[in-house]
Amino acid sequence: MNRKQKRPSILLLYTGGTIGMIRHPETGSLIPFDFSNIKKIFPELNRIPAEISVHSFENPVDSSDIRPDHWVQIVSIIKEFYNQYDGFVILHGTDTMSYTASALSFLLENLNKPVILTGSQLPIGTLRTDGKENLITAIEIASARDKNRQSLIQEVCIYFEYKLFRGNRTIKYHSEHFNAFTSPNYPLLAEAGIEIKFNHQYLLPVRKKKPVFHTSLENDIMILHLFPGFSRKITESILLIVGLKALVLLTYGTGNAPLLPWFDDFLLKLKQKKILVVNVTQCKRGSVDQTRYETGRHLESCGVLSAGDMTLEATVTKLMFLFGQPLSYQEIKRKFTQNLCGERSV
Ligand code: ASP
């Protein structure tokens, strides 16, 4: 084997977003460039010690336009090329990157290769871009191997601004800063300085089972964000929604909601209809504990399931994934409260 063949092979997939845009010479607005030209626009890519192939969505999208069928498209591409590449780097708009990373973590079951999402706040062609560092380091991380030449990372991650996060633990929390992502309830997987320092103890353990590539998702899911005085009329209208599978309650503090008889009746009616209700806290850090206060306990007794310390992004995509599988209502409930791929603490 020659030296070149030994280099890790990485598939770079451009789905859209700021990183792959340039300014229109006349209007000055951002438009996507032909990503197959990335090595011309960004020749430094040729200096990375990896064999990099570039693939792009036929119609790259701003990540506000990302839909479940795009996630299925990504899964299908990874499945098609899974045996040909050592790792995958996905370039994606930042706005919904945490949803995509969370969805992929469920859809790519028993993943044993790195899938690293990254993007940037400024296009890669601009002088002060954050895209170059994000892209170069994401590729380096996807190429990293242990002493047995196995991929060091075997899960879906987001790399952004010197930090590697477990994808399904992230939220985008800043709309302007380069430091745009955080992982409120799980430590960093790695930090890039002069060297890339991996926190091995926080990585997902190696899975021995064969990867499974899921492609089915259910999107008849709703979020109800509570606020003092939320309306009975509006809330009860949810009972009329045909086909609703699950309702995510965004509650206060450790998972609390007002002690209103009509609200408990509403929750019990949802339970009767087998519409799953889950409890996510509005707080950015910490977790739901439905046993701490009476205002949480009544939710528990109405059949509401705690989302623990899962992010809203992970909760929603986990429900989309579970309701997309051929599982009974009881199995969905059981799996929702389990830790499937590092998305919640036990
Ligand atoms: N609106 C863009 C997107 O999410 C922002 C970005 O790429 O950072 O696609």
Side-chain angles (χ1 to χ4, degrees):
M1 213 185 252
N2 65 31
R3 254 187 83 232
K4 249 189 153 183
Q5 277 171 325
K6 278 187 190 159
R7 301 189 337 164
S9 54
I10 304 296
L11 182 66
L12 189 59
L13 170 62
Y14 178 60
T15 66
T18 304
I19 191 164
M21 293 185 174
I22 47 172
R23 290 220 175 270
H24 189 284
E26 278 150 33
T27 65
S29 63
L30 289 173
I31 48 163
F33 65 78
D34 175 4
F35 209 78
S36 52
N37 284 333
I38 180 74
K39 288 187 182 170
K40 274 194 205 131
I41 290 175
F42 183 30
E44 292 92 330
L45 270 188
N46 295 313
R47 292 173 43 204
I48 302 177
E51 299 300 317
I52 301 165
S53 307
V54 180
H55 198 97
S56 172
F57 271 9
E58 207 169 291
N59 299 308
V61 287
D62 184 291
S63 78
S64 301
D65 281 321
I66 284 280
R67 295 183 312 266
D69 47 299
H70 292 112
W71 298 337
V72 170
Q73 210 179 322
I74 297 172
V75 170
S76 305
I77 293 168
I78 292 179
K79 182 180 179 187
E80 185 181 344
F81 296 106
Y82 199 71
N83 294 328
Q84 280 178 48
Y85 292 93
D86 297 308
F88 300 84
V89 173
I90 301 174
L91 297 175
H92 193 288
T94 55
D95 291 347
T96 62
M97 193 187 286
S98 292
Y99 283 94
T100 296
S102 300
L104 292 178
S105 74
F106 300 115
L107 295 170
L108 300 168
E109 194 180 338
N110 302 327
L111 189 68
N112 56 13
K113 295 190 178 186
V115 173
I116 316 290
L117 286 98
T118 194
S120 65
Q121 297 278 63
L122 283 175
I124 205 151
T126 56
L127 208 52
R128 291 183 52 249
T129 185
D130 50 331
K132 289 189 181 182
E133 196 286 321
N134 285 348
L135 178 52
I136 291 172
T137 309
I139 295 173
E140 273 190 44
I141 289 172
S143 308
R145 297 175 187 183
D146 64 17
K147 53 182 185 315
N148 302 317
R149 301 192 64 72
Q150 296 298 315
S151 295
L152 203 56
I153 302 293
Q154 306 196 7
E155 57 181 292
V156 179
C157 299
I158 287 183
Y159 177 76
F160 218 86
E161 189 69 1
Y162 308 113
K163 298 187 190 93
L164 184 72
F165 307 97
R166 172 161 302 151
N168 58 29
R169 290 295 195 145
T170 59
I171 56 173
K172 181 177 178 184
Y173 81 111
H174 210 297
S175 61
E176 292 168 10
H177 281 183
F178 287 156
N179 194 1
F181 288 86
T182 188
S183 169
N185 289 324
Y186 197 76
L188 292 181
L189 302 185
E191 243 176 311
I194 294 175
E195 285 175 9
I196 302 171
K197 288 211 172 100
F198 290 93
N199 295 323
H200 297 267
Q201 70 275 32
Y202 300 129
L203 303 178
L204 275 187
V206 174
R207 271 140 305 164
K208 300 256 157 57
K209 290 191 189 156
K210 277 181 87 178
V212 186
F213 301 90
H214 297 278
T215 52
S216 178
L217 292 135
E218 168 62 62
N219 65 353
D220 283 336
I221 285 158
M222 190 180 171
I223 300 172
L224 178 63
H225 192 127
L226 301 189
F227 58 92
F230 65 99
S231 140
R232 176 175 185 175
K233 185 177 68 186
I234 304 286
T235 304
E236 288 180 343
S237 71
I238 294 171
L239 293 166
L240 304 176
I241 301 174
V242 178
L244 182 66
K245 298 287 184 305
L247 178 70
V248 179
L249 279 187
L250 274 175
T251 59
Y252 311 124
T254 53
N256 305 313
L259 290 160
L260 296 166
W262 69 260
F263 189 58
D264 282 7
D265 280 352
F266 161 76
L267 295 173
L268 289 168
K269 281 187 189 136
L270 290 174
K271 190 180 170 197
Q272 270 166 17
K273 288 170 165 265
K274 293 204 168 156
I275 296 169
L276 187 60
V277 185
V278 303
N279 185 348
V280 176
T281 172
Q282 292 174 19
C283 296
K284 292 289 165 257
R285 275 215 148 99
S287 85
V288 167
D289 174 0
Q290 295 189 149
T291 62
R292 186 177 280 262
Y293 294 96
E294 203 40 49
T295 44
R297 213 175 266 280
H298 73 115
L299 299 179
E300 183 93 4
S301 59
C302 292
V304 176
L305 295 185
S306 163
D309 64 351
M310 281 193 287
T311 61
L312 177 65
E313 290 83 341
T315 304
V316 168
T317 54
K318 188 172 183 175
L319 290 168
M320 292 172 90
F321 166 69
L322 291 176
F323 278 97
Q325 306 309 303
L327 298 169
S328 69
Y329 183 65
Q330 286 310 324
E331 283 171 320
I332 290 176
K333 280 171 66 177
R334 192 171 52 79
K335 288 205 175 230
F336 180 79
T337 54
Q338 288 174 350
N339 173 27
L340 302 183
C341 47
E343 76 282 7
R344 75 183 282 166
S345 308
V346 185

